[in-house]
C-alpha cells in the first residue's frame, strides 16, 4: 500500500511574517497515519521552516536545485547545501522552470541525479500544455519526460523518487484536470515504469498538481493511481492546505 503525500509548493511567495504564520498553522495540524505532508518554501526561508517544523512529522523540500555539486555558478544552490539545511525533497522539472527558465529534459535528469546523490528525494514534475493536450500528445509527452530521467538515472532511481503529473493548463488557472483525465495519465505513468520494473511501479507515489483545492482533493484522491497532490496556491492558506491533507489521510 502506497502512503499518501501532500506537498505544498509555495513558489515565490511569502515574507518572514507570513511564513512564521504558516509554520504556526502547520504545527497545529494532526498527522495522519497513512499520509505525509511536506512544504517547499523559497530557498531563503528553508532554515527557519526546518527549525519551526522540527518537532513535527512535516518535512521540507526545495523548489529547484543545481545539477552541479559546487563551483562558480552564480545564483545556484547545490543539492548538498539543501541536504545540509535539512531538506528531504526537491522539486525538479516544474513546468515553470521548464518554460520560463529553459530547464530541458536533460538538465532536469541531471538535477534529479544530483539530488539523489546526496540522499534528497526528487519530486519529478511532468505535464503537457493545452496545445499538446488538444493535439492528443499528452501521453507521449509525459512518457518522454519520464524516460529522459529513467534513461539517465536508471529505473531503480524511481524507487527513491516521487513523480508529479501537473498539466500546465491546470496550474494556477482554477481549471483542474477531471479525476478521469488525471487518473488516465497517472495510470500511464505507472505503466511506463512497470515496463521496466513492476515492483518500482507498484511503490511509486504519483501526485497530481494543478488547481488542487479543498473541494476537489477528495475526488482526485479516490482514484487508484493518484497518491496525493502537489499544491500551489492552496498551500499558502492553512485551512485549505489542511483540508487537502485530511482528504489524503
Ligand atoms: P496551483 O495549485 O496554484 O495550480 O499550482 C500547482 C503547482 O504548480 C504546484 O507545483
Amino acid at each position: 500500500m502506497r502512503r499518501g503525500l501532500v506537498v505544498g509548493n509555495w513558489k515565490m511567495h511569502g515574507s518572514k511574517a507570513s511564513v512564521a504564520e504558516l509554520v504556526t498553522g502547520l504545527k497545529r495540524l494532526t498527522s495522519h497515519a497513512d499520509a505525509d505532508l511536506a512544504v517547499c518554501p523559497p530557498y531563503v526561508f528553508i532554515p527557519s521552516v526546518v527549525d519551526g517544523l522540527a518537532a513535527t512529522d512535516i518535512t521540507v523540500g526545495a523548489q529547484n536545485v543545481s545539477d552541479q555539486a559546487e563551483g562558480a555558478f552564480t545564483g545556484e544552490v547545490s543539492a548538498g547545501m539543501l541536504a545540509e539545511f535539512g531538506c528531504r525533497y526537491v522539486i525538479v522539472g516544474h513546468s515553470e522552470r521548464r518554460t520560463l527558465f529553459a530547464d530541458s529534459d536533460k538538465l532536469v535528469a541531471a538535477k534529479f541525479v544530483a539530488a539523489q546523490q546526496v540522499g534528497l528525494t526528487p519530486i519529478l514534475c511532468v505535464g503537457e500544455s493545452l496545445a499538446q493536450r488538444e493535439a492528443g500528445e499528452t501521453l507521449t509527452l509525459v512518457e518522454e519526460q519520464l524516460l529522459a530521467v529513467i534513461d539517465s538515472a536508471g529505473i531503480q532511481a524511481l524507487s527513491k523518487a516521487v513523480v508529479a503529473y501537473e498539466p500546465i493548463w491546470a496550474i494556477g488557472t482554477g481549471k483542474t484536470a477531471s479525476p478521469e483525465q488525471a487518473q488516465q495519465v497517472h495510470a500511464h505513468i505507472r505503466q511506463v515504469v512497470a515496463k521496466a520494473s513492476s515492483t518500482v511501479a507498484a511503490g511509486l507515489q504519483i501526485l497530481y498538481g494543478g488547481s488542487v483545492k479543498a473541494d476537489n482533493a477528495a475526488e482526485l484522491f479516490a482514484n487508484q493511481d493518484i497518491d496525493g497532490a502537489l499544491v500551489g496556491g492552496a498551500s499558502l492558506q492553512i485551512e485549505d492546505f489542511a483540508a487537502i491533507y485530511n482528504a489524503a489521510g
Side-chain angles (χ1 to χ4, degrees):
M1 214 13 216
R2 294 181 295 273
R3 293 180 65 74
L5 176 63
V6 172
V7 181
N9 173 8
W10 294 358
K11 306 194 179 182
M12 198 173 74
H13 292 292
S15 61
K16 282 187 183 178
S18 71
V19 166
E21 204 176 307
L22 264 176
V23 168
T24 303
L26 289 167
K27 281 177 12 187
R28 295 203 186 107
L29 300 184
T30 315
S31 58
H32 294 286
D34 56 353
D36 299 315
L37 198 56
V39 291
C40 300
Y43 288 137
V44 291
F45 297 122
I46 287 173
S48 68
V49 175
V50 168
D51 285 353
L53 298 176
T56 74
D57 296 327
I58 306 170
T59 53
V60 177
Q63 300 170 16
N64 183 33
V65 67
S66 173
D67 63 320
Q68 301 293 319
E70 69 170 334
F73 302 105
T74 302
E76 293 290 273
V77 173
S78 74
M81 294 169 189
L82 296 177
E84 188 181 2
F85 277 83
C87 284
R88 156 96 192 266
Y89 294 102
V90 62
I91 298 171
V92 298
H94 192 281
S95 60
E96 286 150 19
R97 299 283 333 162
R98 291 180 190 262
T99 58
L100 304 172
F101 302 98
D103 281 17
S104 63
D105 277 350
K106 193 165 165 247
L107 182 58
V108 170
K111 290 181 175 192
F112 181 105
V113 169
Q116 285 194 331
Q117 272 168 354
V118 299
L120 295 175
T121 301
I123 300 174
L124 169 68
C125 298
V126 296
E128 82 288 2
S129 66
L130 186 57
Q132 288 163 327
R133 173 159 284 268
E134 286 172 347
E137 294 165 5
T138 301
L139 299 184
T140 27
L141 179 97
V142 162
E143 184 165 345
E144 269 167 31
Q145 290 174 330
L146 194 58
L147 289 177
V149 169
I150 295 175
D151 288 348
S152 83
I155 191 66
Q156 289 305 324
L158 279 184
S159 66
K160 293 198 183 79
V162 173
V163 172
Y165 168 55
E166 296 208 318
I168 299 172
W169 49 273
I171 296 177
T173 57
K175 229 182 179 182
T176 326
S178 69
E180 297 73 27
Q181 285 174 322
Q183 166 59 25
Q184 184 201 21
V185 180
H186 282 231
H188 184 68
I189 290 169
R190 207 176 297 287
Q191 272 163 23
V192 171
V193 176
K195 276 188 215 151
S197 166
S198 55
T199 320
V200 174
L204 181 65
Q205 289 172 311
I206 309 176
L207 314 182
Y208 168 78
S211 297
V212 177
K213 307 285 176 219
D215 60 7
N216 60 22
E219 56 178 17
L220 286 160
F221 299 159
N223 292 276
Q224 75 175 46
D225 290 299
I226 303 182
D227 304 308
L230 182 54
V231 186
S235 70
L236 299 167
Q237 306 296 333
I238 194 68
E239 295 79 17
D240 293 345
F241 194 52
I244 295 167
Y245 176 54
N246 291 339

